[in-house]
Amino acid sequence: EVQLVESGGGLVKPGGSLRLSCAASGFTFSSYSMNWVRQAPGKGLEWVSSISSSSSYIYYADSVKGRFTISRDNAKNSLYLQMNSLRAEDTAVYYCARDNEQWPVFDYWGQGTLVTVSS
Amino acid sequence: EIVLTQSPGTLSLSPGERATLSCRASQSVSSSYLAWYQQKPGQAPRLLIYGASSRATGIPDRFSGSGSGTDFTLTISRLEPEDFAVYYCQQYGSSSWTFGQGTKVEIK
């Protein structure tokens, strides 16, 4: 069974940093591209970042470019999101999501971790 | 960036009725790159439809997708109680993804 479990969320002050993790199991993690998607409270979904299976290709939404860094450790079956210079508008539930092998869609999602940026 | 606009914002229907949800793109989208997701309160989104019209694994056949170019539709033929949720369309292009703002299907 595919499982994605996020952790690392919490309360942080504006300008602060946080590192999210996503532990994957139930599939060959090293074969799949992975993504972070966020959802502000009561709002819709926003794609944040994507990383290819071997970390060769990395993409970011304009809203986080230069502040967030996606990475992965295939030996540990883990995905990460380093978030720096956090702003109030970064407050959201952050989901990790697996990229389907054949189609550019997200076929499995974690349960999410809440990041709150507030003074 | 391609903007996806979903309508209506809220759809109030009764169980057993047919639901028709619209997703309009600001520019033409390849049908291969259009997907639909369902999200229930407190849960992660679930993939329903990919490639505009193909159902994901385990998705009942009352869900169907159609459309091309800039206009796409998700149809739920007969609403079951568990179908009341928020639905998002999504497109892929230029190494990024965008979502529509969502349509809430609520019980009338």
Side-chain angles (χ1 to χ4, degrees), chain B residues 5-98:
Chain B
T5 301
Q6 293 186 239
S7 62
T10 302
L11 202 48
S12 299
L13 296 169
S14 300
E17 290 193 292
R18 181 184 189 90
T20 303
L21 287 66
S22 173
C23 176
R24 179 160 291 177
S26 59
Q27 303 171 45
S28 185
V29 172
S30 167
S31 296
S32 298
Y33 296 161
L34 196 287
W36 291 91
Y37 297 82
Q38 176 194 67
Q39 187 179 33
K40 298 179 181 178
Q43 296 185 16
R46 177 174 72 145
L47 176 66
L48 294 177
I49 300 287
Y50 63 91
S53 60
S54 298
R55 278 186 298 276
T57 303
I59 301 303
D61 60 7
R62 63 180 180 273
F63 291 92
S64 63
S66 63
S68 63
T70 59
D71 289 297
F72 297 88
T73 300
L74 174 70
T75 302
I76 311 171
S77 59
R78 287 177 58 85
L79 283 164
E80 297 288 341
E82 62 267 27
D83 299 336
F84 292 92
V86 179
Y87 293 84
Y88 295 94
C89 57
Q90 175 205 43
Q91 71 84 34
Y92 169 78
S94 301
S95 303
S96 65
W97 288 260
T98 55

